[in-house]
Amino acid sequence: MGLLSDPNRRKALTNLLTRLNAPICMVCYLAAIVWFMGLAFEPFTLRTYMSENAMGSTMVEERFSSGERALSLAKEFDAHKTKAGGMPVEWLVKAMQARGLEVFTQSFSRKLPFPDENKERYMVRGTNVYGILRAPRAPRTEALVITAPCSPGNSNNQAVGLLLALAQYFRNQIFWAKDIIFLVNEHDLIGMQAWLEGYHHTNITGMEYSPLQGRAGSIQAALSLELSSDVITSLDLILEGLNGQLPNLDLANLFYAFCQKLGVLCTIQGKLQRNDWDTAEGYTHAAQTMMLMVLKQACGRSWGDHGLFLRYHIEAASIRGINGFRHYKMDVATIGRLLEGMVRKLNNLLERLHQSYFFYLLPSLSRFVSIGYYMPAFGLLAVILLLRVSFPGLMLHVCFSVSLQPSGPGVLTVLTPVVISHLTGVALYLLPVHLQEMAVEHFPVSETEAVVLTAVAIYTAGLALPHNTQRLLSGEGTEQGWKVLKLTALLYLAVLLGCTALINFSLGFVLAVTLVPITASMTPHMPKALSALAMVLLSPAFTILYCVFIYQELIEAPVSVSEGWMLFLSVISQGILDHALYGSLVYPLLALFVYPCWLMFWNILFWS
Amino acid sequence: CSHHPGKARDQFQEELVIRPLHSGDIYASFQFRTLWDTDFLQERQKVSHYRLFPKSLGQVLSKFSVRELHISFTQGFWRTMQWGQPFIPSPPGAELWVWFHDTVSDVDGNWKELTNVLSGIFCASLNFIDLTNTVQPSASFKPLGLGNATDHRFLRYATLPREIVCTENLTPWKKLLPCGSKAGLSVLLKSEKLFHSSFHSQAVHIRPVCQDEQCTSKAWELRQTLNVVFDLYTSGQGKKEWSLFKMFSRTLTEACPLATSSKVYVDITDNPELFELSPATPLLSQAVVLGDRRTYSVFDLTRAETFGQLRSLNLLLRWKGDSGMLRPLLHAERYVAGFGLQTGEIHTVIYNNHPYRAFPVLLMDSVPWYLQLYIHTLTVTSKSRDNKPSYIHYQPAKDRHRPHLLEMLIQLPPHSMTEVTVQFERALLKWTEYTPDPNHGFYVGSSVVSALVPSMVAMNTNFTQDQPLFSSFVPVKEESSYFVRVYTEPLLVNLPTPDFSMPYNVICLTCTVVAVGYGSFYNLLTRTFQVDEPSLPLAKRLANLIRRIRGVPLLA
């Protein structure tokens, strides 16, 4: 450490960093991008393997054979669903009771903050039905959950049919060590949230629900089923949960192992696995799969019913049946066997799934990128911010000015823009939902449009607001003033992105890629119009817009600009709804922290 | 010689009760009673001649001055909502409670040794009972036998909710029987069938009782009970048809020759609407059990005609109807609320399903020290109103020394649900204190709800010898109510658990951070830097000296 304590060497180092600051930053940025794209390259990734001993070596024989029964139950369920115009509660209760389960129901109701136009719901009222298979000679301390949503229309009947057929088959077996809960939830995630909150007796989202009568101890793992057709060609595994949480990688490994064993075609992000990693197409394919995962994780919403379990430390995944690859038809009994195998292995667990990774990216089902491999990509971006803190003169200048005049205008000039930026953020967070009634009164829009357009309006108004704020107090902005502000803003952004990336790497990385280049180079002396345009184009809102387009491109459903704009608006409304309904944190993070931080840099640009 | 109970001072009875349950499952309860009018606790006279009473237990009683001993091993949870009340309840895992004689000076020492000895006798992990999971309940566990000891200093109670009961526990238990598993009812106790069931519980209860109705002298009673519930789907193949052979893969051919009575009771109260029984028996018996008058068919194994021409008895029960869920008068359940690894809340829910009678219950909770209870958050609510317990006995835990003990007397309003909640914080254990499977979680034993439940029919308060065993375990003191004990499910709680594969990484990282980062920063922060002025040549220094005297500016 002579490097730091020896003044000469320290000076040399500082000189180097000061002189080569910009080139080093550029190299870091490029290296980060290259590193990230390299993660999808197969030789750089690790092969997945089962870490959990209890699931690895134990032999499990699958015997489920009532596929036909599952389909006929699905038809029956469909008929009763149509008749009841929703969840056929009585029929389900009877059906589960007839299979020897302890059956309970839970009713819930939820008024959404504003109508959800994607799913066309506002006042939601529903009933969950669940049956508990009590394991013989088990003391009700551990449980597994299998869920199937009761969806409107024709979808998901097969999942409920298979659930009931599995319940019947499982009930006759003696080997269960954990209770198994078979849950049919209404109104997909809202019902799931009500059930989970009821089970754990919490209320974090203001849901109204009737208390649960039957419980089965601490839930160890959960599987959610989504099957909408009699003919299934492949199964898709969905892992991304609320706030970008992922289940333990062993759950994905388990699914993959059984797909291999039973010869079932399996996909992740709807993409099949390819073996030609050394070709350009092979690489692009893996990169696309990984990018899809990054985008899905970054948006922080629950991509299936499983996603809400993760908050309660319950490892969960959704399995969705796809009918898209013609030549690989498989019958429902095979899916039943796959689930039987998975549940039996989970039943063998002695401890919660904890052996394998919780932080990972999957370029394919058989390859994974662990946190140790992807974090450097983010680290390289974060280093840029720290390097810019030691930008020529900035650090020293600020330190001196603050130490010389501790209560001088230096502190005040920083405080005002910081406070005003954050107040704008608070407005962006609070006003859209609260002002919807007023907006609907005065403008010819629906509530949902009102909320989204208010958000966009406040976002845009924020751009006009704060760049003159410092003049309110200290007249002209001083050279020293913007440097202090920039130092604060850089440190703020570094901490913010660092924390975000630790919790949700994808979100942190996506934000860093767009925010870092422009914020790192921002000074008031740049050409105003050009840099203003660049800043706006790299602002958080535009990041979301780009993500929408890239996502559509990746799922091979490209959209035109106007469609993209509509999608963008719906993404915003979904983000606000996700926050209100399930406690997703992406909207408050963006509104209360990222946007104000960006506004601080915007302020620097217009410092004069 | 066993047919002359007057001469021999000990006698043995065996009994099997079969109760078809509403859910379609079937409940079989064995009771074996050995009665011996001797006194193990007499100082002068050492008991050394054993006949029917197992010597291993007799020696334990006299060595440790045990007044009463109750031990149960249970695999599974009794489903009160489907099955109603069991004859003798027990919590999942192992439960042991012992009243010592009041001459014992070192109760804790005796208790420790006793648990270790019992551990050997029953091949169980009772040696894991120590002071950290032992409590002294003040009101919930009164002696069931003679004598009215009330000083709970001589009582010790412990549960091991994690204890797994298997054939290795059954074998030593069977060896305590006078006939072993050779003859009598115990031939039915084949482990491959007993452990192919939904519920299995075996227990040993030893207590002093009256020798006769006048209670002139004391006798020691050893009751060995075994309860098992066979499942309709996994054992019965979904058909509501049961026979002794289907349940136990054996039929009965004889009574234990050492037994004075050997009977099989079949609960036929719901006959003939619900099921039919064959062979039919003319012998009927009525008994008031758990507040309900039940009718039983009695098969006396000491009589030859019971076995018929085939020389074997294979009872056959066939259901005809179907029936729904039960509503037991008293029912309790428990769960952990909340999420995350810092805090949580224990909810105990007690149901009084009596339509118009309120009655008090004693709730006892023993919580390990690593769940740090916030006792100020204790709330008891019935019908969404605050329900103040009339008696609270709380003994706070001491870290690593003793558990929390909470006992409360709560009045349950009629037809109500009473919820007891208390918040807790999860302790961070020392790294050696974690079990080998820390991510499985840590167990909290069942809480115990003891109550005198209002009875629908008058209870029989007379104690007679010819009463069936299953109806005479807990002495009934008044006609209008009967004693019930309900155990809730144990809890499995996850504590904050370090990643045990990480120590190496952590050590490396910590060492690096301390050595490189902290060391140099500390160095930088504490060292005072001074500008080191180059020393002037001697000539200049001399010149400066002169210039200072003269008062002119110095040379640099």
Side-chain angles (χ1 to χ4, degrees):
Chain A
M1 291 308 285
L3 205 59
L4 285 179
S5 45
D6 180 351
N8 290 335
R9 289 199 212 166
R10 190 163 48 161
K11 208 171 199 173
L13 182 72
T14 339
N15 279 342
L16 190 75
L17 284 183
T18 324
R19 204 150 33 85
L20 297 178
N21 199 293
I24 293 178
C25 287
M26 295 237 280
V27 168
C28 277
Y29 189 80
L30 289 177
I33 302 290
V34 170
W35 186 292
F36 179 74
M37 292 320 291
L39 292 177
F41 189 49
E42 196 170 306
F44 296 162
T45 57
L46 298 170
R47 182 172 283 281
T48 53
Y49 55 91
M50 191 77 82
S51 297
E52 177 61 60
N53 251 332
M55 296 198 311
S57 54
T58 46
M59 295 295 288
V60 168
E61 202 180 310
E62 304 83 28
R63 295 224 177 98
F64 178 78
S65 56
S66 18
E68 291 306 314
R69 184 181 298 155
L71 290 181
S72 68
L73 278 168
K75 286 208 183 72
E76 213 175 317
F77 174 73
D78 187 29
H80 283 91
K81 190 165 79 172
T82 329
K83 211 166 80 186
M87 183 95 150
V89 177
E90 270 175 45
W91 181 82
L92 263 178
V93 168
K94 286 224 178 76
M96 283 187 177
Q97 263 165 357
R99 280 161 184 80
L101 307 184
E102 272 180 43
V103 190
F104 304 92
T105 57
Q106 182 207 26
S107 54
F108 59 91
S109 68
R110 181 78 164 95
K111 188 177 164 229
L112 270 55
F114 55 91
D116 182 351
E117 290 193 340
N118 284 15
K119 293 196 170 148
E120 292 172 357
R121 57 189 181 187
Y122 182 47
M123 286 292 300
V124 179
R125 210 176 280 281
T127 312
N128 293 327
V129 178
Y130 65 106
I132 305 179
L133 189 168
R134 297 290 181 192
R137 281 169 293 108
R140 296 194 176 177
T141 46
E142 292 174 285
L144 302 172
V145 177
I146 306 177
T147 77
C150 166
S151 316
N154 251 335
S155 55
N156 254 335
N157 296 329
Q158 283 76 6
V160 179
L162 182 57
L163 182 97
L164 290 173
L166 277 175
Q168 179 162 9
Y169 170 75
F170 284 0
R171 183 64 180 85
N172 292 319
Q173 310 304 319
I174 190 78
F175 43 65
W176 301 114
K178 298 173 172 55
D179 290 1
I180 302 174
I181 302 176
F182 295 90
L183 167 67
V184 180
N185 55 313
E186 206 179 353
H187 299 299
D188 47 75
L189 285 169
I190 296 184
M192 199 73 245
Q193 176 81 10
W195 190 81
L196 280 167
E197 289 196 358
Y199 196 92
H200 296 93
H201 201 282
T202 54
N203 200 341
I204 29 183
T205 55
M207 176 93 66
E208 279 173 36
Y209 56 81
S210 60
L212 295 195
Q213 296 294 322
R215 286 186 174 76
S218 88
I219 302 172
Q220 305 290 306
L223 292 174
S224 173
L225 276 185
E226 292 173 33
L227 305 174
S228 298
S229 125
D230 286 359
V231 182
I232 298 293
T233 56
S234 68
L235 292 177
D236 190 41
L237 181 70
I238 304 158
L239 297 169
E240 299 84 2
L242 193 69
N243 289 327
Q245 260 186 298
L246 298 170
N248 196 281
L249 185 57
D250 267 345
L251 201 60
N253 296 340
L254 182 67
F255 172 77
Y256 183 61
F258 272 100
C259 285
Q260 298 287 92
K261 183 177 175 187
L262 298 172
V264 172
L265 208 58
C266 53
T267 59
I268 188 157
Q269 321 298 354
K271 295 203 182 276
L272 280 169
Q273 192 163 339
R274 290 174 69 133
N275 295 322
D276 50 343
W277 60 269
D278 44 356
T279 61
E281 292 86 44
Y283 168 74
T284 325
H285 189 79
Q288 283 174 345
T289 315
M290 193 183 72
M291 272 309 292
L292 266 174
M293 179 158 186
V294 167
L295 289 178
K296 281 184 172 182
Q297 199 190 5
C299 83
R301 68 183 308 198
S302 172
W303 286 83
D305 281 352
H306 72 282
L308 301 175
F309 281 90
L310 299 170
R311 180 204 300 270
Y312 300 91
H313 192 8
I314 299 167
E315 306 314 318
S318 287
I319 296 171
R320 182 175 293 163
I322 305 268
N323 181 11
F325 305 90
R326 257 174 226 167
H327 306 292
Y328 295 94
K329 232 164 91 174
M330 62 176 153
D331 57 346
V332 181
T334 314
I335 305 173
R337 275 204 291 282
L338 180 115
L339 286 166
E340 183 199 349
M342 287 182 73
V343 175
R344 279 196 67 178
K345 285 223 175 179
L346 291 170
N347 176 58
N348 286 347
L349 278 182
L350 298 174
E351 300 181 64
R352 270 171 194 283
L353 284 176
H354 70 283
Q355 300 275 12
S356 195
Y357 294 85
F358 284 97
F359 297 94
Y360 52 86
L361 294 176
L362 293 173
S364 74
L365 257 176
S366 63
R367 294 264 158 189
F368 77 103
V369 182
S370 83
I371 183 168
Y373 287 80
Y374 66 60
M375 228 37 193
F378 175 80
L380 285 168
L381 290 177
V383 156
I384 297 176
L385 294 176
L386 297 180
L387 279 177
R388 297 309 284 182
V389 170
S390 58
F391 178 73
L394 188 64
M395 182 73 152
L396 281 178
H397 186 88
V398 171
C399 285
F400 275 121
S401 63
V402 172
S403 61
L404 288 177
Q405 356 160 258
S407 59
V411 178
L412 210 60
T413 46
V414 181
L415 207 60
T416 332
V418 170
V419 168
I420 290 180
S421 306
H422 280 87
L423 286 180
T424 323
V426 170
L428 179 60
Y429 175 63
L430 289 179
L431 293 187
V433 176
H434 287 99
L435 287 188
Q436 50 168 315
E437 279 171 28
M438 210 170 80
V440 171
E441 244 173 63
H442 291 90
F443 301 97
V445 284
S446 72
E447 278 97 343
T448 319
E449 287 168 336
V451 170
V452 176
L453 294 177
T454 317
V456 173
I458 295 174
Y459 189 91
T460 323
L463 306 188
L465 241 186
H467 66 266
N468 285 329
T469 48
Q470 82 284 351
R471 285 188 212 154
L472 287 175
L473 288 153
S474 55
E476 276 305 287
T478 57
E479 187 73 0
Q480 173 203 338
W482 76 261
K483 281 185 176 166
V484 177
L485 183 59
K486 173 147 190 197
L487 178 73
T488 320
L490 278 175
L491 288 173
Y492 185 3
L493 187 63
V495 171
L496 184 63
L497 291 179
C499 293
T500 311
L502 282 181
I503 299 164
N504 184 348
F505 164 78
S506 302
L507 182 60
F509 186 77
V510 168
L511 285 176
V513 164
T514 49
L515 285 177
V516 163
I518 194 71
T519 51
S521 56
M522 187 52 56
T523 63
H525 311 306
M526 294 164 81
K528 285 274 181 311
L530 206 62
S531 20
L533 184 68
M535 265 211 87
V536 169
L537 287 180
L538 289 174
S539 77
F542 276 84
T543 312
I544 299 177
L545 189 64
Y546 303 145
C547 286
V548 168
F549 280 109
I550 296 172
Y551 179 76
Q552 291 299 330
E553 200 62 41
L554 287 173
I555 60 167
E556 288 156 16
V559 286
S560 66
V561 176
S562 62
E563 283 169 332
W565 174 251
M566 292 317 289
L567 265 178
F568 167 72
L569 294 184
S570 97
V571 161
I572 292 177
S573 75
Q574 290 301 312
I576 299 177
L577 270 181
D578 277 351
H579 171 58
L581 291 182
Y582 319 117
S584 158
L585 292 174
V586 175
Y587 170 58
L589 177 86
L590 289 179
L592 294 175
F593 299 103
V594 177
Y595 174 63
C597 186
W598 179 86
L599 272 186
M600 277 150 72
F601 288 101
W602 180 256
N603 220 330
I604 296 169
L605 180 65
F606 291 97
W607 197 280
S608 49
Chain B
C1 55
S2 64
H3 299 291
H4 306 285
K7 230 162 55 178
R9 288 163 66 225
D10 51 357
Q11 52 161 314
F12 174 67
Q13 290 169 275
E14 57 179 7
E15 185 181 290
L16 163 65
V17 192
I18 294 174
R19 189 162 89 189
L21 299 167
H22 283 264
S23 55
D25 304 334
I26 195 154
Y27 173 32
S29 172
F30 292 86
Q31 289 210 21
F32 303 91
R33 179 164 85 153
T34 312
L35 209 62
W36 190 13
D37 50 346
T38 186
D39 195 353
F40 294 109
L41 305 179
Q42 265 176 3
E43 296 273 322
R44 304 167 268 115
Q45 179 196 348
K46 203 170 175 212
V47 180
S48 55
H49 182 68
Y50 288 84
R51 213 177 70 98
L52 297 176
F53 203 93
K55 191 175 179 184
S56 53
L57 287 180
Q59 284 176 331
V60 167
L61 294 182
S62 52
K63 172 141 201 278
F64 299 108
S65 303
V66 172
R67 173 197 280 276
E68 215 171 272
L69 184 147
H70 302 268
I71 184 166
S72 72
F73 298 99
T74 307
Q75 188 69 19
F77 182 74
W78 184 269
R79 305 170 195 169
T80 319
M81 289 302 277
Q82 271 95 53
W83 300 340
Q85 296 291 350
F87 295 121
I88 299 181
S90 57
E95 184 198 43
L96 173 66
W97 56 287
V98 175
W99 277 92
F100 289 95
H101 207 264
D102 48 16
T103 52
V104 177
S105 53
D106 179 17
V107 181
D108 283 333
N110 271 19
W111 169 248
K112 178 108 197 89
E113 273 187 64
L114 174 68
T115 52
N116 279 291
V117 170
L118 289 176
S119 168
I121 293 178
F122 292 104
C123 282
S125 342
L126 297 173
N127 52 321
F128 283 109
I129 292 178
D130 54 16
L131 291 182
T132 61
N133 50 20
T134 302
V135 289
Q136 302 170 35
S138 65
S140 296
F141 287 88
K142 291 291 167 206
L144 293 175
L146 269 186
N148 42 3
T150 48
D151 190 347
H152 65 269
R153 279 186 299 140
F154 298 101
L155 167 65
R156 291 293 180 277
Y157 173 89
T159 53
L160 294 173
R162 211 184 168 170
E163 181 70 13
I164 296 190
V165 185
C166 200
T167 48
E168 59 171 7
N169 306 101
L170 183 67
T171 312
W173 183 89
K174 279 198 290 195
K175 280 188 180 162
L176 300 174
L177 294 170
C179 284
S181 47
K182 303 281 192 297
L185 290 176
S186 52
V187 293
L188 299 179
L189 303 177
K190 293 292 168 203
S191 51
E192 78 268 18
K193 281 293 180 183
L194 291 186
F195 292 102
H196 199 285
S197 57
S198 319
F199 177 83
H200 170 96
S201 169
Q202 58 187 66
V204 170
H205 303 274
I206 303 172
R207 59 180 177 174
V209 293
C210 287
Q211 202 209 340
D212 47 21
E213 280 179 57
Q214 284 75 40
C215 210
T216 46
S217 65
K218 195 162 83 169
W220 281 85
E221 182 198 69
L222 162 69
R223 266 186 207 241
Q224 284 182 257
T225 64
L226 189 142
N227 295 299
V228 60
V229 176
F230 293 101
D231 188 83
L232 170 67
Y233 293 89
T234 54
S235 312
Q237 288 107 41
K239 282 186 205 142
K240 294 190 162 185
E241 265 183 40
W242 294 100
S243 66
L244 280 187
F245 190 78
K246 198 168 167 187
M247 286 188 268
F248 301 103
S249 71
R250 291 285 185 288
T251 55
L252 288 168
T253 53
E254 56 172 343
C256 170
L258 298 171
T260 50
S261 99
S262 175
K263 285 176 180 159
V264 178
Y265 292 83
V266 181
D267 189 335
I268 54 157
T269 319
D270 301 325
N271 196 19
E273 302 92 58
L274 270 183
F275 61 91
E276 61 185 47
L277 171 70
S278 66
T281 172
L283 271 179
L284 290 182
S285 152
Q286 287 219 332
V288 180
V289 190
L290 298 165
D292 200 4
R293 190 182 305 281
R294 315 287 298 178
T295 313
Y296 295 88
S297 285
V298 187
F299 298 84
D300 191 343
L301 301 189
T302 52
R303 297 208 218 163
E305 64 262 31
T306 308
F307 300 105
Q309 290 184 329
L310 292 170
R311 302 251 161 263
S312 85
L313 175 65
N314 184 20
L315 296 171
L316 199 72
L317 288 153
R318 192 176 287 117
W319 257 262
K320 289 192 283 192
D322 205 9
S323 54
M325 286 266 259
L326 284 174
R327 283 188 79 74
L329 288 185
L330 178 65
H331 166 60
E333 56 193 40
R334 192 157 68 140
Y335 61 93
V336 180
F339 58 92
L341 286 177
Q342 198 194 353
T343 56
E345 194 168 41
I346 298 180
H347 284 240
T348 312
V349 188
I350 312 171
Y351 296 88
N352 172 5
N353 288 329
H354 201 289
Y356 52 87
R357 287 278 298 274
F359 57 87
V361 295
L362 256 173
L363 172 71
M364 192 199 95
D365 247 324
S366 161
V367 180
W369 64 267
Y370 37 77
L371 301 191
Q372 296 161 343
L373 292 187
Y374 293 157
I375 204 71
H376 70 278
T377 61
L378 178 74
T379 58
V380 184
T381 40
S382 311
K383 294 185 165 170
S384 62
R385 299 246 296 278
D386 197 30
N387 182 350
K388 202 171 169 5
S390 48
Y391 165 80
I392 295 190
H393 171 74
Y394 175 63
Q395 190 183 36
K398 276 185 191 156
D399 279 6
R400 300 180 178 83
H401 289 296
R402 71 168 191 217
H404 303 267
L405 170 68
L406 179 63
E407 277 185 289
M408 288 187 289
L409 187 67
I410 306 169
Q411 182 78 13
L412 302 183
H415 197 72
S416 68
M417 183 192 99
T418 302
E419 194 160 24
V420 180
T421 63
V422 62
Q423 290 176 14
F424 64 86
E425 184 176 315
R426 300 162 206 244
L428 189 61
L429 301 185
K430 290 180 182 165
W431 69 284
T432 49
E433 286 171 342
Y434 287 94
T435 51
D437 51 354
N439 284 291
H440 177 66
F442 290 76
Y443 284 84
V444 180
S446 310
S447 48
V448 189
V449 179
S450 321
L452 281 173
V453 176
S455 172
M456 297 293 186
V457 292
M459 295 298 291
N460 192 0
T461 53
N462 297 329
F463 171 72
T464 51
Q465 287 285 358
D466 56 338
Q467 237 177 314
L469 294 179
F470 59 85
S471 66
S472 66
F473 181 63
V474 182
V476 176
K477 300 228 169 64
E478 47 184 314
E479 285 193 344
S480 63
S481 58
Y482 61 100
F483 180 79
V484 168
R485 190 165 275 156
V486 175
Y487 291 93
T488 65
E489 46 274 77
L491 301 176
L492 184 61
V493 181
N494 276 89
L495 296 185
T497 311
D499 181 354
F500 287 101
S501 62
M502 289 294 279
Y504 173 75
N505 303 2
V506 171
I507 290 168
C508 291
L509 189 72
T510 321
C511 291
T512 317
V513 168
V514 168
V516 179
Y518 177 74
S520 53
F521 268 101
Y522 183 74
N523 190 357
L524 278 175
L525 289 172
T526 52
R527 184 185 290 184
T528 41
F529 289 96
Q530 281 176 334
V531 182
D532 192 12
E533 288 194 18
S535 54
L536 299 172
L538 190 65
K540 271 196 179 165
R541 270 191 275 171
L542 281 175
N544 271 346
L545 203 64
I546 298 164
R547 291 171 84 102
R548 188 170 292 146
I549 297 164
R550 282 172 55 202
V552 287
L554 305 184
L555 291 172

